[in-house]
């Protein structure tokens, strides 16, 4: 027959061990929760720093003229721009319909890709640049990184061969050249808006076609 005193001692020992295990588990859970909170705080602080850095970059870019698509008045200004901005898309144009099509797409992309500077320059009024960069076909986009021409988009050959290409297609070509970035707010918002952009560019062709050569 089991001794009641022994049974009581054993039960107390089991309870003591169980309590010790429970206390240890509680301590580990508390430690984990503290660690998790600290990790979240570190991540939060890191994210805030990234957001602050990006805000500073955006402010700097806007100050340089990023976010708009505009014409460079002369060749001297071209060199100032490519030295000031890390990434530049420069449209060499003349007053014809194909260049007007390119203008419309670049105007959209300039607002969407604030990390890159979008400009245009009249090729016939910039003979030195046109010769130096071997600009023959218009429109031609010079894709410039770190003050050096890294790539070209010549005419519409890489964009389907017609003036009906979408803004998305041009965006993908520029991204391939790494002169723009797909991240955060930079890329176009949706395929729906891109479709609307494509239609609006093509629908406006009748109104502007009288200006083509």
């Amino acid at each position: 027959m089991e001794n009641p005193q022994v049974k009581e001692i054993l039960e107390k020992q089991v309870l003591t061990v169980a309590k010790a295990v429970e206390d240890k588990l509680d301590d580990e859970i508390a430690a984990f929760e503290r660690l998790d909170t600290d990790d979240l705080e570190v991540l939060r602080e890191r994210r805030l720093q990234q957001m602050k850095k990006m805000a500073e970059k955006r402010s700097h870019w806007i100050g340089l003229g990023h976010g708009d698509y505009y014409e460079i008045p002369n060749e001297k200004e071209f060199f100032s721009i490519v030295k000031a901005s890390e990434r530049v898309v420069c449209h060499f144009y003349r007053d014809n319909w194909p260049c007007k099509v390119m203008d419309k797409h670049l105007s959209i992309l300039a607002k969407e890709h604030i990390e890159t500077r979008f400009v245009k320059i009249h090729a016939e009024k910039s003979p030195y640049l046109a010769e130096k960069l071997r600009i023959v076909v218009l429109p031609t986009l010079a894709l410039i990184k770190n003050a050096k021409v890294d790539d070209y988009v010549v005419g519409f050959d890489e964009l389907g061969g017609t003036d009906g290409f979408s803004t998305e297609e041009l965006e993908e070509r520029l991204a391939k050249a790494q002169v723009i970035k797909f991240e955060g707010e930079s890329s176009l918002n949706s395929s729906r808006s891109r479709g609307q952009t494509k239609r609006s560019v093509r629908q406006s062709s009748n109104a502007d076609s009288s200006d083509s050569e």
Side-chain angles (χ1 to χ4, degrees):
M1 186 174 179
E2 188 175 6
N3 190 319
Q5 291 180 335
V6 173
K7 183 180 179 181
E8 184 178 353
I9 292 171
L10 289 174
E11 287 176 349
K12 286 182 178 180
Q13 288 177 341
V14 170
L15 288 173
T16 300
V17 172
K19 183 67 166 63
V21 171
E22 184 179 355
D23 289 344
K24 183 178 180 182
L25 185 59
D26 287 343
D27 289 342
E28 289 178 352
I29 290 173
F32 177 77
E33 288 178 345
R34 286 196 299 271
L35 178 62
D36 188 54
T37 301
D38 290 343
D39 284 345
L40 288 174
E41 187 60 32
V42 169
L43 291 173
R44 179 174 176 275
E45 181 61 28
R46 187 180 301 167
R47 178 60 178 159
L48 287 173
Q49 290 300 321
Q50 289 173 342
M51 291 173 66
K52 181 180 178 181
K53 186 176 180 180
M54 179 53 67
E56 291 173 351
K57 276 187 176 182
R58 290 176 67 89
S59 179
H60 175 66
W61 288 333
I62 289 171
L64 290 175
H66 292 223
D68 288 322
Y69 174 59
Y70 59 94
E71 184 164 1
I72 300 173
N74 54 60
E75 294 178 310
K76 183 179 179 181
E77 184 69 13
F78 171 86
F79 292 104
S80 298
I81 285 172
V82 300
K83 287 178 181 178
S85 296
E86 182 181 349
R87 292 176 293 271
V88 178
V89 174
C90 183
H91 174 202
F92 284 84
Y93 83 99
R94 64 186 302 181
D95 294 321
N96 62 15
W97 167 243
C99 291
K100 291 178 186 293
V101 170
M102 189 64 78
D103 280 340
K104 292 174 183 179
H105 291 297
L106 293 175
S107 294
I108 294 167
L109 291 175
K111 293 178 175 60
E112 298 293 342
H113 289 276
I114 198 171
E115 76 278 6
T116 300
R117 200 163 176 178
F118 288 80
V119 296
K120 67 177 183 177
I121 189 167
H122 199 293
E124 294 175 349
K125 297 178 182 178
S126 312
Y128 173 77
L129 277 177
E131 182 178 355
K132 182 177 177 63
L133 300 181
R134 300 178 182 178
I135 305 297
V136 178
V137 176
L138 300 175
T140 287
L141 304 183
L143 311 184
I144 303 159
K145 294 187 291 185
N146 299 312
K148 294 182 180 179
V149 177
D150 187 69
D151 199 357
Y152 293 93
V153 177
V154 180
F156 299 154
D157 288 346
E158 297 181 71
L159 303 169
T162 73
D163 63 7
F165 65 92
S166 67
T167 304
E168 180 185 18
E169 288 172 306
L170 179 57
E171 182 184 37
E172 289 174 353
R173 174 62 180 87
L174 299 182
K176 183 179 178 182
Q178 298 182 341
V179 75
I180 62 172
K181 296 182 178 179
F182 282 111
E183 58 184 18
E185 297 178 356
S186 295
S187 61
L188 295 179
N189 294 327
S190 67
S191 58
R192 180 180 176 185
S193 66
R194 288 165 177 151
Q196 291 172 343
T197 296
K198 181 177 179 179
R199 287 195 298 274
S200 66
V201 170
R202 297 197 67 178
Q203 287 170 351
S204 63
S205 63
N206 294 334
D208 294 339
S209 59
S210 60
D211 292 330
S212 63
E213 291 188 348

